[in-house]
Each structure stands twice: as structure tokens, then as C-alpha cells.
Amino acid sequence: MSRQSNRTTDSKKMNSELFTLTYGALVTQLCKDYENDEEVNKQLDKMGYNIGVRLIEDFLARSSVGRCHDFRETADVIAKVAFKMYLGVTPSVTNWSPAGDEFSLILESNPLVDFVELPDNHNNLVYSNLLCGALRGALEMVQMAVDVRFAQDTLRGDSVTEIRMKFIKRIEENLPAGDE
Amino acid sequence: MTVHNLYIFDRNGTCLHYSEWNRKKQAGISKEEEFKLMYGMLFSIRSFVSKMSPLDMKDGFVSFQTSRYKLHYYETPTGIKIIMNTDLGVPNCRDILHQIYSTLYVEYIIKNPLCVLGDTLQSELFNSRLDSFVRALPFFSARAA
């Protein structure tokens, strides 16, 4: 990388329109490169995952958040700290399942979709699917396997954007094989 | 006061980085064996400490000392473990180890797309920054060597 300044951990200002448009260009290019929307969704998820596994380290370095004790705390941290830090929005956490292993993040506004309209021939495209991958990747690094998907999307005519997250299991740390 | 050496392990037990400053006695085994031994011991201490703690664990395992040296331990929720051995006069190093994580590891390794995660760190920039960071610590003194 060329830019390796010795900056401190304060967050840098960045033009949100440039960010939105860059993301748009990325999705557009993926739509050109892949035949169908499912494949594009998959690629976005994969990119998001790769972002997430690194982003979590940055998140931990910048915030003073320690390990969460339960999934509710995790949900709060994601909504109030992480989304605020990286997207500048604070989704609300609702629709808890009775077992407490599933919840929804409701985004009043999604910065990724400003200026975006889905063309008719892309009905199955989950435009912001990168977010799902990023959440999944980040949580996997802190020993949580989760399932993340879009339940509602303003691009498809819903009134809000809803990301549904389901806790699957804790990933246990094991001693590497070959040790006595 | 002085710093002897520093290890960084990832969650799988791979030793990502090792460097030493004033280490006068070697373990007498290969580095690989040494890393394995170190990681295995930490793994056991960690589980021992969390099982045997009579109170709710907060920071977990922070350090231990023998009659000659002190081992400082820091672990992130993602399982990155930073271990620094110093002599006995050095106070709690949690903040310093966190700083190594946040201003060096995250900045120069995580944010460098060329650094493959989970591999031994090859970044010379990281190595030199870490070296100067440790040498600049108030309790780092080459005189003790």
C-alpha cells in the first residue's frame, strides 16, 4: 500500500456520496461480469465476508468494546457502535425471536442506496448484500457463527430496510492438532 | 528494566511474529517447538484461570512472573494474542500491548491487503515500527542487557 501515514485512530472524514457511488459502480460491474443476480449476490456476500474479517480488527482497535456476554449485547454493539462508526447510521434492534437467537436491524436510511433504483431485469438482486457478508465475517472472527440476510429492502418497495440476523452457534477455540 | 522478547499468535496458534531484544538465554529448542510450547502453556493457563476463578472474570489472564522475568499477556476478542516478556520491575502492560495491536498490527497488517491473514508476518514496515515502538518504551533499557 502506498499510503501508510502514521495517523492516529480517529476516524477520517470521507465524502459519503463518493462512497455511495463507488459501491454503485462495484455492483454495476458485478452485474456485467456475472450472468444472473444470484451469482452477483453471492459475490457481494463473499466480498463483504473478506471485508468483515479484517474490519472487525479495526473495530476492536478503535472502539473500547470488549467481549459481549450475550447476543443481545452483540446486537446493541452492532447497531449503536459499529453501524455508527462505519456507515454513520444507527439502526434499531427489534423483532427478537422468543428464544433470543434472532433479531432484526431496521435501517431508516441505508447510505448505500442513495440515488439507486433497481432496473426491472434485476428483480433478484440484493443490492446491499455486501453488508450481510461483512457482518457474517466480522462475527465469525469473534467466535460467533450467524446467518444474515435481507428481509426487507427499500429498493424493492418496502418502507424500511431490514437485516435479519440469526445466531447459529459459538465457534469453540481448539488447541491446534499435533500438540501433546 | 528491560524487554526480553515478544510473540504474536493468531487464534489458530500460529506464531505470526517473534522478535527479541535482550534475551540472554535461549530455550535450547527450535523456534517452532518454542512457539508450540508457549502457545500450549497459554492455552492451558487461560482455561485454568477461567475455570478456577472464584469471581467473575473480567480481563482474564493478564500476566505471571517468576523470580527472574514477567510475562505480559493480551488477547483480543478475535483471538490475537500478544505476549511480552520483561524483567520484574515493569508495571502492568495491558495498554502498551493494546497499543501494539491497534496502532501497529491493525494499521500495518490488517489494513495491508498484501498481508495474508494467518501467515507469518513478512512486513518489514511492521517489524521496524514494532522495533522502534518497543525501544521507545520508558522501561526499555539496553543497559540491562
Side-chain angles (χ1 to χ4, degrees), chain A residues 1 7 54 57-58 67 140, chain B residues 77-78 101 110-111 113 115:
Chain A
M1 272 169 82
R7 72 181 176 91
R54 286 183 186 243
E57 305 278 7
D58 180 64
R67 185 174 286 287
E140 186 182 298
Chain B
T78 47
Y101 169 69
I110 295 294
K111 292 188 184 174
C115 289

Side-chain angles (χ1 to χ4, degrees), chain A residues 53-118:
Chain A
V53 296
R54 286 183 186 243
L55 199 64
I56 181 72
E57 305 278 7
D58 180 64
F59 176 76
L60 293 170
R62 283 215 250 164
S63 65
S64 49
V65 175
R67 185 174 286 287
C68 294
H69 295 99
D70 56 23
F71 201 43
R72 281 179 190 271
E73 199 183 335
T74 310
D76 263 6
V77 170
I78 291 171
K80 298 207 178 88
V81 190
F83 267 80
K84 181 95 194 104
M85 188 184 286
Y86 293 112
L87 289 175
V89 294
T90 311
S92 49
V93 179
T94 53
N95 294 341
W96 279 95
S97 66
D101 64 343
E102 208 175 337
F103 68 90
S104 293
L105 290 167
I106 307 280
L107 289 103
E108 298 290 332
S109 72
N110 175 0
L112 293 180
V113 302
D114 293 342
F115 330 119
V116 178
E117 263 178 54
L118 282 191

Side-chain angles (χ1 to χ4, degrees), chain A:
Chain A
M1 272 169 82
S2 52
R3 185 192 46 79
Q4 294 274 18
S5 57
N6 49 347
R7 72 181 176 91
T8 46
T9 49
D10 62 346
S11 55
K12 256 194 288 193
K13 287 274 173 285
M14 174 182 164
N15 188 313
S16 70
E17 287 184 10
L18 176 64
F19 172 64
T20 306
L21 293 172
T22 308
Y23 184 72
L26 173 88
V27 179
T28 312
Q29 188 60 45
L30 282 176
C31 287
K32 280 183 194 148
D33 290 351
Y34 291 93
E35 304 259 310
N36 57 50
D37 291 349
E38 275 76 25
E39 192 58 34
V40 176
N41 295 343
K42 217 158 93 191
Q43 291 301 321
L44 283 172
D45 183 78
K46 203 162 126 192
M47 283 181 183
Y49 176 85
N50 289 329
I51 292 174
V53 296
R54 286 183 186 243
L55 199 64
I56 181 72
E57 305 278 7
D58 180 64
F59 176 76
L60 293 170
R62 283 215 250 164
S63 65
S64 49
V65 175
R67 185 174 286 287
C68 294
H69 295 99
D70 56 23
F71 201 43
R72 281 179 190 271
E73 199 183 335
T74 310
D76 263 6
V77 170
I78 291 171
K80 298 207 178 88
V81 190
F83 267 80
K84 181 95 194 104
M85 188 184 286
Y86 293 112
L87 289 175
V89 294
T90 311
S92 49
V93 179
T94 53
N95 294 341
W96 279 95
S97 66
D101 64 343
E102 208 175 337
F103 68 90
S104 293
L105 290 167
I106 307 280
L107 289 103
E108 298 290 332
S109 72
N110 175 0
L112 293 180
V113 302
D114 293 342
F115 330 119
V116 178
E117 263 178 54
L118 282 191
D120 291 337
N121 57 343
H122 285 292
N123 284 325
N124 294 321
L125 179 67
V126 186
Y127 184 82
S128 311
N129 211 28
L130 188 109
L131 293 182
C132 293
L135 285 164
R136 188 167 60 84
L139 288 178
E140 186 182 298
M141 293 301 282
V142 286
Q143 286 88 46
M144 261 182 276
V146 288
D147 179 61
V148 191
R149 62 187 168 81
F150 271 88
Q152 292 189 72
D153 194 341
T154 45
L155 288 182
R156 296 149 174 267
D158 299 314
S159 58
V160 289
T161 299
E162 176 182 354
I163 300 175
R164 190 82 182 144
M165 302 199 34
K166 185 176 169 33
F167 178 82
I168 301 172
K169 61 167 186 174
R170 267 190 67 82
I171 304 164
E172 295 297 333
E173 254 179 90
N174 293 320
L175 202 58
D179 269 300
E180 51 279 281

Side-chain angles (χ1 to χ4, degrees), chain B residues 4-16:
Chain B
H4 298 303
N5 55 2
L6 187 137
Y7 305 79
I8 300 177
F9 289 97
D10 75 354
R11 63 203 295 207
N12 300 319
T14 313
C15 186
L16 300 178

Side-chain angles (χ1 to χ4, degrees), chain B residues 53-92:
Chain B
S53 171
L55 299 168
D56 191 28
M57 290 253 297
K58 268 185 143 172
D59 287 340
F61 161 51
V62 177
S63 67
F64 76 73
Q65 67 179 59
T66 71
S67 61
R68 294 305 300 273
Y69 73 99
K70 189 167 175 183
L71 179 144
H72 306 264
Y73 177 76
Y74 174 77
E75 184 185 347
T76 71
T78 47
I80 300 291
K81 299 167 180 69
I82 305 181
I83 294 97
M84 187 163 79
N85 285 317
T86 67
D87 71 354
L88 296 177
V90 174
N92 188 338

